[in-house]
Amino acid sequence: MNSLKTKTVRDLAMEIPGATRVFERVGIDYCCGGQQSLAAACATAELTIEDVMKSLKLAAESHSAAQEPNFLTASLAELINHIVDKHHVFTKNEMERLRGLLNKVCAVHGQNHPELQTLKRLFETLSVELGPHMIKEEQVLFPHVKRMEAAVRDKRPVMPPPFRTVANPVRMLMMEHDGAGEFLKKMRRITSNYTPPEDSCISYQTLYQALEAFERDLHQHIHLENNILFPRAVEMEAAV
Ligand SMILES: [Fe+2]
Ligand SMILES: [Fe+2]
């Protein structure tokens, strides 16, 4: 158990089934800030490391293997399909829905709660950046990774991509992930961790719950790309 303390949050997120849910619940950044050790992450989040380790152990024990495929061993095509079908579709749908909900809540409560205007601005900017980001993944990087994997499987030569090496789009996409992570942090900060005020209506509460779910999904999504898909794709390219 003690070895957990020195492992990085990123490694734990990959190795322990259900770890990302624990990190999400206690507020440990495992996607963009995953390179720090568990001990350092707990110190930053002012958490008792023993409690977090206990939760990680419980999560591993109670996790059913059928819940989630093992993305460390699944094919890259399967992982990409999962990312697109689950996370890209959810993000696109929610960006649309939440934009309308934010407009509605801002119109009713914006006077009394000026932070809603800031929240709306942050969410709009995040959405404007995430749309093209996902298109780049779906139209540029992901198709090449799938083609590369198929060529390796069939022992055919890999066609060189127009972006020369996988590392190039990966570097740019990871910078964009960092930017998205910062927006999520700001949104969480100005909403006091998505705590609705006492005078809030149902729409206000629904908005905060939905934004929190949006954040949770985006963390999971970025984790799968930054920590699993991108390194595996870079490794595969290096091997050929
Ligand atoms: Fe993505
Ligand atoms: Fe991404």
Side-chain angles (χ1 to χ4, degrees), residues 18-140:
T20 57
R21 282 186 194 85
V22 174
F23 292 147
E24 204 69 61
R25 180 161 46 80
V26 299
I28 287 181
D29 177 9
Y30 63 91
C31 61
C32 296
Q35 65 286 356
Q36 55 184 342
S37 69
L38 181 64
C42 287
T44 309
E46 297 180 354
L47 298 163
T48 314
I49 190 163
E50 281 71 25
D51 291 345
V52 177
M53 290 200 300
K54 214 181 286 168
S55 301
L56 286 174
K57 196 164 169 278
L58 279 173
E61 283 166 3
S62 63
H63 183 86
S64 131
Q67 272 179 338
E68 219 168 61
N70 183 347
F71 292 120
L72 292 174
T73 52
S75 71
L76 295 183
E78 280 174 299
L79 174 52
I80 287 170
N81 290 344
H82 172 84
I83 288 171
V84 173
D85 295 346
K86 183 170 190 289
H87 297 292
H88 284 204
V89 168
F90 175 82
T91 303
K92 286 173 198 166
N93 289 342
E94 284 299 275
M95 286 194 312
E96 188 63 37
R97 181 175 83 97
L98 287 172
R99 210 171 291 138
L101 195 51
L102 259 165
N103 283 338
K104 185 179 162 190
V105 175
C106 263
V108 180
H109 298 276
Q111 288 277 4
N112 293 340
H113 297 284
E115 71 277 11
L116 283 172
Q117 298 294 348
T118 316
L119 179 67
K120 189 172 147 203
R121 217 168 36 246
L122 288 168
F123 186 76
E124 271 167 11
T125 316
L126 173 63
S127 303
V128 164
E129 291 182 6
L130 276 178
H133 172 90
M134 290 188 291
I135 291 173
K136 272 182 266 176
E137 290 177 337
E138 288 174 27
Q139 296 186 358
V140 180

Side-chain angles (χ1 to χ4, degrees), residues 133 137 177 221 225:
H133 172 90
E137 290 177 337
H177 289 166
H221 174 180
E225 291 174 352

